Amino acid sequence: MEGAGERDAAVARILAQHRTPADRLAALERSQAAELAYGRHPGSDEAAEIAAVATYLQVEKRGWRAELASRDAGNPPRRPGWEAFQQEMDAFVPEVERTQPVWFLQANGYQVTGTNRDELNAIAAARERPPRDDPQQQLGITYQRDTMYAMLPDGAISKHVGTFNAGTTASAAAGWVDHVVRVHADADELRLRVQSVVDDDAGEVTLRGTVLEGPVGNRGLAVGSVVELHKNQAQLSIGGDPVDGDWTASFETFAYHQGRTRVNEGVGMQVRGAGTPEARNRGPSLAVDDVLFERIRDLYTNAEAPERGYAQTLGPTRTRLNFREAGWDVNVPPYRRLGGDAMFTEAAHPEPAPYSADLPAPATVDVSDPKWYRELTNAQPDRFVGGRSSSAALYMTAATMLIQEDRLAVDEAQDLMAFAVADMVASGEHSMPECMTSVVMAAGSAQPWQETPLNLSQPTPTLKAWLHLVSPETRDEMRTEARAALGQVLTNPTPDPQVVAGLAMVVKATTSYQRESTDQAKVMQAGLNPTFAGPQRVTAPV
């Protein structure tokens, strides 16, 4: 790949000049070589991202196992964000039952045609029994069971949608006080949080509510203003003005509105006229059967094609960056390998833009344009497998719903997102830009994420944006862990230069992040957000 030779040569020069592991480690840390700087080449950047999340997972798993030992000794539990999310999702009962199975779950776990029947059935069973001491697999189960199915029509968790049409009675509407009514009329959309419902005993209903903010037109009405909807069986009036033509409407709970609607629209998923963006740029999916299993198993076990080199990192062959050589306890079990990138093909990018590691600030992106996501991914065509919308947005949606229902704290949600992104990147299911593009775009227009450092005010390197989610204590441990892993790798007379460079870049990234964020941390602790940006308000296209 372009840039790999330069990177490997820079690493080779340093290793040739220094013989002992300690000297090599010190030389790498103080090196100003541009080839070891993040943001220059997609392959080197991906190596650094995978190294960073693997280091993070190593730290988190060590902490989790210590927490289990503490609990077993009788101490009160201290639950991390990923466990808080898992527990609350497990306790959450959707009001609307799922009518379809999760898209990747077949009747018997996977499609089994015979050649690997026992092995495939064992994998399907193991998926439901994750090891107690492996948080990466524990969260993966919750993700599969309770989050991914939100991609199915009418399958979102806690959908809570009621009907509002010409025949809706006042008694039915009264049950939706303090929740949201969404009205599509005259090619525009209005959203009100219902305050009261009045029935004139003649079949007419009046809803009184406040206008909610969001990336919709709201018919030009100011956010927070009070508006009345008056409906009979023939016509709807908004603020006293009759609506000419067709209109449709529905009720939603406020938690559902804040979670699914605000986050998804923050990443452009619900803009009218955008078609079906949940499936944008997706290539044909592959059957989850024994043929696919054999293909993936061969990729991971072929001794003549070891897991190294950027050519092996796209689609179903995304590298795990020699986790064992680095000494990481990062496990990607077969059931995870059967999902993710193996299910989709690469989207075509006929005119790729020059590579950039930066994520744009949300305020610079017009999410009313259905092409916005593709235009962003065009700058990183090799980093977006299938160009698909990121599963990170589904985690963010579910977490936001739980926050709105007081089941999850914001700091727990940030902890969850750091872990979820790390898990998906390390498992080869998504690249970090895939995850962080949707997360950052949503943070620009969706509460409570607007009040976090994810609400970027200027273009930011992808790895740094992810580090915004990681606690300062964990970042410090990551740096210690990365240095220790790098020292271990350097005891090898001929270490993998990709691993060396990736770990060196993690050490540099965590060090520079700590230095650059000191002042910002002080401001945040004072209750201010130096990167605050107002919610996007755009009029959806007709």
Side-chain angles (χ1 to χ4, degrees):
M1 76 166 189
E2 181 185 4
E6 298 174 2
R7 177 205 64 202
D8 294 356
V11 170
R13 285 194 300 271
I14 293 174
L15 299 187
Q17 294 169 2
H18 304 276
R19 295 301 181 185
T20 69
D23 289 343
R24 289 176 167 183
L25 177 59
L28 286 166
E29 285 189 285
R30 65 173 179 263
S31 172
Q32 300 299 314
E35 294 83 0
L36 296 180
Y38 182 84
R40 285 174 52 89
H41 297 288
S44 295
D45 286 353
E46 181 172 55
E49 291 156 7
I50 296 174
V53 300
T55 305
Y56 167 88
L57 290 173
Q58 182 78 355
V59 169
E60 289 293 295
K61 288 186 179 185
R62 185 166 56 236
W64 174 241
R65 287 159 183 166
E67 169 64 15
L68 288 179
S70 175
R71 294 181 186 182
D72 291 343
N75 296 315
R78 298 176 59 187
R79 67 179 193 177
W82 68 266
E83 186 192 29
F85 175 80
Q86 181 191 41
Q87 290 176 343
E88 298 304 334
M89 288 288 280
D90 287 346
F92 204 101
V93 179
E95 287 192 358
V96 176
E97 291 293 327
R98 269 182 280 179
T99 59
Q100 297 174 281
V102 182
W103 64 270
F104 52 80
L105 294 182
Q106 309 299 325
N108 295 316
Y110 294 108
Q111 298 172 22
V112 179
T113 61
T115 60
N116 286 310
R117 183 178 303 275
D118 292 342
E119 192 169 6
L120 279 165
N121 285 335
I123 289 172
R127 181 188 56 216
E128 304 301 332
R129 296 193 302 270
R132 174 176 180 252
D133 67 344
D134 191 338
Q136 190 183 359
Q137 308 314 320
Q138 292 279 346
L139 181 63
I141 290 300
T142 294
Y143 165 61
Q144 290 197 40
R145 185 180 62 244
D146 296 325
T147 307
M148 279 299 288
Y149 75 81
M151 297 179 74
L152 285 173
D154 300 323
I157 189 168
S158 190
K159 190 169 178 60
H160 297 304
V161 172
T163 300
F164 180 59
N165 55 30
T168 301
T169 64
S171 59
W176 291 93
V177 169
D178 201 38
H179 293 301
V180 178
V181 61
R182 295 170 56 142
V183 180
H184 290 273
D186 295 341
D188 199 357
E189 182 173 344
L190 171 67
R191 303 173 183 185
L192 299 179
R193 187 166 188 177
V194 181
Q195 294 178 330
S196 62
V197 180
V198 178
D199 186 359
D200 67 353
D201 296 325
E204 298 188 1
V205 178
T206 298
L207 301 182
R208 182 182 177 89
T210 56
V211 177
L212 292 172
E213 66 180 16
V216 296
N218 273 328
R219 298 178 64 85
L221 298 168
V223 172
S225 60
V226 178
V227 179
E228 288 188 348
L229 304 182
H230 183 77
K231 176 196 72 66
N232 57 33
Q233 293 188 351
Q235 193 173 45
L236 172 72
S237 295
I238 299 177
D241 297 325
V243 173
D244 297 325
D246 295 334
W247 64 275
T248 59
S250 62
F251 290 117
E252 299 172 356
T253 65
F254 188 61
Y256 176 79
H257 173 79
Q258 284 292 91
R260 184 256 194 185
T261 306
R262 298 291 291 129
V263 169
N264 284 357
E265 288 186 347
V267 295
M269 287 186 178
Q270 301 296 319
V271 176
R272 298 184 71 186
T276 55
E278 290 87 346
R280 53 179 164 270
N281 296 343
R282 210 172 250 181
S285 61
L286 304 175
V288 185
D289 56 17
D290 53 356
V291 175
L292 177 64
F293 175 71
E294 289 283 6
R295 171 186 170 191
I296 295 173
R297 183 170 62 180
D298 289 345
L299 290 169
Y300 280 93
T301 58
N302 185 355
E304 297 180 0
E307 299 165 356
R308 59 185 71 210
Y310 189 57
Q312 293 286 322
T313 67
L314 298 181
T317 56
R318 189 181 300 283
T319 182
R320 289 179 294 150
L321 197 65
N322 297 321
F323 288 168
R324 291 180 182 176
E325 180 176 351
W328 293 318
D329 183 18
V330 177
N331 180 36
V332 187
Y335 81 81
R336 297 296 292 275
R337 298 176 194 169
L338 283 171
D341 293 342
M343 301 299 296
F344 307 103
T345 57
E346 178 72 14
H349 292 268
E351 297 180 0
Y355 175 70
S356 171
D358 285 349
L359 297 174
T364 66
V365 178
D366 179 10
V367 296
S368 68
D369 181 357
K371 300 188 297 294
W372 76 270
Y373 189 85
R374 182 176 178 86
E375 290 174 354
L376 288 188
T377 64
N378 189 43
Q380 298 173 319
D382 291 340
R383 313 296 300 285
F384 285 78
V385 180
R388 62 189 183 275
S389 43
S390 172
S391 301
L394 300 178
Y395 273 116
M396 201 172 186
T397 297
T400 305
M401 290 181 187
L402 295 174
I403 290 171
Q404 295 299 330
E405 297 201 350
D406 296 323
R407 292 171 176 260
L408 201 68
V410 175
D411 60 343
E412 290 175 323
Q414 287 193 216
D415 189 20
L416 160 74
M417 294 306 301
F419 198 105
V421 171
D423 174 45
M424 289 188 284
V425 173
S427 298
E429 294 174 288
H430 295 274
S431 68
M432 187 174 283
E434 280 180 294
C435 294
M436 294 307 299
T437 293
S438 58
V439 168
V440 166
M441 292 303 108
S445 62
Q447 292 292 358
W449 304 98
Q450 280 180 290
E451 307 303 324
T452 71
L454 283 175
N455 189 10
L456 304 178
S457 61
Q458 59 187 0
T460 303
T462 303
L463 181 56
K464 183 175 181 179
W466 175 74
L467 285 171
H468 282 326
L469 291 164
V470 180
S471 71
E473 297 78 15
T474 302
R475 285 197 300 269
D476 288 343
E477 290 188 57
M478 283 176 59
R479 184 177 184 278
T480 301
E481 179 65 34
R483 290 188 80 252
L486 182 54
Q488 175 65 34
V489 169
L490 292 174
T491 61
N492 185 336
T494 57
D496 183 345
Q498 184 180 12
V499 177
V500 172
L503 282 169
M505 292 166 72
V506 172
V507 173
K508 292 174 180 293
T510 50
T511 300
S512 63
Y513 185 98
Q514 187 66 30
R515 182 175 60 252
E516 294 169 5
S517 62
T518 299
D519 292 340
Q520 184 182 33
K522 291 178 181 178
V523 175
M524 294 294 290
Q525 290 169 1
L528 304 175
N529 186 353
T531 60
F532 177 78
Q536 299 173 14
R537 295 190 180 92
V538 297
T539 301
V542 176

